[in-house]
Amino acid sequence: MIGQSAPPPPPAGWYPAEPRTERWWDGTRWTAHTRPTLAHDRIRWAGIPWGGPGGPTTQLVIAGVYVVLALLPTLVAVQARSSSARAMGLLLASTLVIAGVLMLVNAHFCRLIAQRRQWTPDPSGPPTEVQAP
């Protein structure tokens, strides 16, 4: 359109470049300075990659659903007359409770991942190169 100027370039700072890498933008052009990114998609703990899509709130809601769903088979097990029906109810209830606990652990790791993603770029600029004497 006539009379409109181009939007200003983004401010200087670290920006995502390649997977797990950031590159320094000096305000006018990309520089050769890179660094590993601080954002991770998963946290490996006890040999299991934790975290993932949904965020901590979604994981907490799912954990709550599992625990609430465990109430029905618990009620059935308490009122069952046969030992096999009682055992099946308790097995299903305990499975749902364990799934809920695992979702709570996953919510914790999702919260840690979300915190890592909220870091602020270093305003001091790219690392300075030491000149040889």
Side-chain angles (χ1 to χ4, degrees):
M1 300 190 120
I2 300 174
Q4 288 186 338
S5 61
W14 293 102
Y15 291 90
E18 299 169 9
R20 303 188 193 283
T21 305
E22 296 174 326
R23 184 172 298 281
W24 180 258
W25 171 260
D26 68 7
T28 58
R29 63 182 175 78
W30 293 107
T31 67
H33 299 289
T34 60
R35 70 178 184 186
T37 184
L38 298 177
H40 299 287
D41 297 324
R42 303 279 183 162
I43 293 177
R44 196 157 197 67
W45 179 70
I48 301 170
W50 295 90
T57 304
T58 303
Q59 303 295 322
L60 286 174
V61 168
I62 293 170
V65 168
Y66 278 129
V67 171
V68 169
L69 287 175
L71 294 176
L72 183 61
T74 302
L75 184 61
V76 168
V78 168
Q79 295 180 349
R81 294 179 192 237
S82 72
S83 60
S84 62
R86 188 174 301 123
M88 289 300 289
L90 290 176
L91 178 65
L92 181 56
S94 60
T95 302
L96 289 169
V97 168
I98 289 169
V101 169
L102 290 174
M103 292 307 288
L104 286 174
V105 172
N106 201 46
H108 168 71
F109 286 110
C110 284
R111 184 182 58 81
L112 292 177
I113 291 168
Q115 286 175 346
R116 288 181 180 180
R117 289 182 180 153
Q118 293 177 357
W119 65 277
T120 55
D122 182 2
S124 63
T128 56
E129 296 178 18
V130 178
Q131 299 292 329

